[in-house]
């Protein structure tokens, strides 16, 4: 029977972000489905026009998620205590993003455009890297090196010789190379794990 030693390699990498993702969420409510849709489309075009006026490419404003759902109001009868729901309308929720180089001047222009657009979206900012593939590859190398080091230590402590690798389980449970930090310095973007 083969003796198997299983280790998990971890890696952490700090890189300077070179890209900003500006996220915007709008919500438009109306009793009429078509009107909620129209308001949402109008809000999106208002945002697009404001960003274009600030010098951004309007085609770069992308939809990340869109849904329209009925909304209800819950009520409790004061006499009987029974609960009931009353339909109050539709909510069109649109999550959008625009990506651009990580420059404070561009971020300032984008935020000013969004705030003055009249669309009143909620917004968030992520810093990331444009070339995610090279960052992922470097993380993989570091995680494998960490696995090897741990395996050597365990083999030595157990008084056995480390043989060739029998298998590698390579999987990313979730891989997002982003940071929410406002600093433009080198920031940790990802922790990789291999099993």
């Amino acid at each position: 029977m083969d003796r198997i030693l299983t280790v998990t390699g971890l890696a952490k990498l700090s890189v300077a972000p070179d890209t900003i993702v500006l996220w915007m969420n709008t919500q438009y409510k109306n009793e009429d489905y078509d009107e909620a849709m129209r308001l949402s489309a109008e809000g999106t075009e208002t945002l697009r026009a404001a960003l274009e006026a600030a010098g951004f490419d309007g085609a770069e404003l992308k939809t990340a998620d869109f849904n329209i759902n009925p909304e209800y109001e819950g009520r409790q009868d004061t006499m009987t205590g029974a609960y009931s729901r009353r339909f109050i309308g539709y909510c069109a929720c649109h999550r959008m993003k625009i990506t651009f180089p990580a420059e404070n001047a561009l971020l300032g222009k984008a935020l000013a455009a969004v705030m003055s657009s009249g669309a009143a979206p909620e917004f968030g900012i992520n810093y990331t890297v444009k070339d995610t593939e090279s960052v992922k590859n470097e993380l993989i190398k570091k995680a494998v090196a960490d696995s090897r080091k741990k395996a050597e230590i365990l083999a030595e402590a157990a008084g056995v010789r480390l043989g060739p690798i029998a298998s590698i389980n390579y999987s990313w449970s979730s891989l997002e190379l982003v940071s929410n930090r406002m600093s433009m310095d080198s920031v940790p973007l990802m922790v990789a794990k291999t099993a």
Side-chain angles (χ1 to χ4, degrees):
M1 179 176 180
D2 290 336
R3 293 178 295 177
I4 296 175
L5 176 63
T6 303
V7 295
T8 299
L10 297 175
K12 190 174 184 179
L13 186 63
S14 292
V15 296
D18 60 9
T19 302
I20 291 174
V21 181
L22 176 60
W23 294 93
M24 291 157 280
N25 300 320
T26 60
Q27 287 190 2
Y28 294 94
K29 299 180 181 185
N30 197 278
E31 290 179 10
D32 181 68
Y33 179 93
D34 290 334
E35 183 62 10
M37 288 290 286
R38 188 193 69 74
L39 290 170
S40 181
E42 186 178 280
T44 300
E45 286 313 307
T46 299
L47 275 173
R48 188 180 318 280
L51 288 164
E52 285 175 348
F56 294 89
D57 180 358
E60 290 299 311
L61 182 62
K62 308 285 186 187
T63 295
D65 185 46
F66 179 82
N67 61 67
I68 184 163
N69 294 307
E71 289 200 330
Y72 298 89
E73 178 181 75
R75 292 183 176 181
Q76 183 178 15
D77 187 292
T78 54
M79 300 291 283
T80 65
Y83 285 94
S84 63
R85 291 189 336 157
R86 181 178 70 88
F87 174 75
I88 57 172
Y90 295 93
C91 181
C93 303
H94 194 177
R95 182 166 167 79
M96 298 160 277
K97 68 177 181 175
I98 188 165
T99 303
F100 49 88
E103 298 172 16
N104 285 333
L106 285 176
L107 177 58
K109 285 172 82 173
L111 290 176
V114 168
M115 298 303 286
S116 66
S117 70
E122 294 179 358
F123 66 88
I125 302 163
N126 288 133
Y127 290 89
T128 188
V129 290
K130 189 173 186 175
D131 183 11
T132 57
E133 209 52 43
S134 65
V135 174
K136 290 177 194 178
N137 292 341
E138 186 61 29
L139 282 167
I140 291 168
K141 288 179 191 176
K142 287 179 172 265
V144 170
D146 182 59
S147 295
R148 178 78 185 183
K149 182 178 178 183
K150 289 175 180 173
E152 289 169 352
I153 291 168
L154 289 169
E156 181 183 342
V160 297
R161 188 177 59 81
L162 190 62
I165 295 173
S167 69
I168 293 178
N169 178 0
Y170 166 73
S171 62
W172 299 99
S173 56
S174 176
L175 180 60
E176 285 188 43
L177 300 175
V178 297
S179 173
N180 293 324
R181 295 188 186 183
M182 295 301 286
S183 168
M184 295 302 288
D185 298 331
S186 180
V187 295
L189 291 178
M190 174 62 195
V191 176
K193 177 178 172 183
T194 63

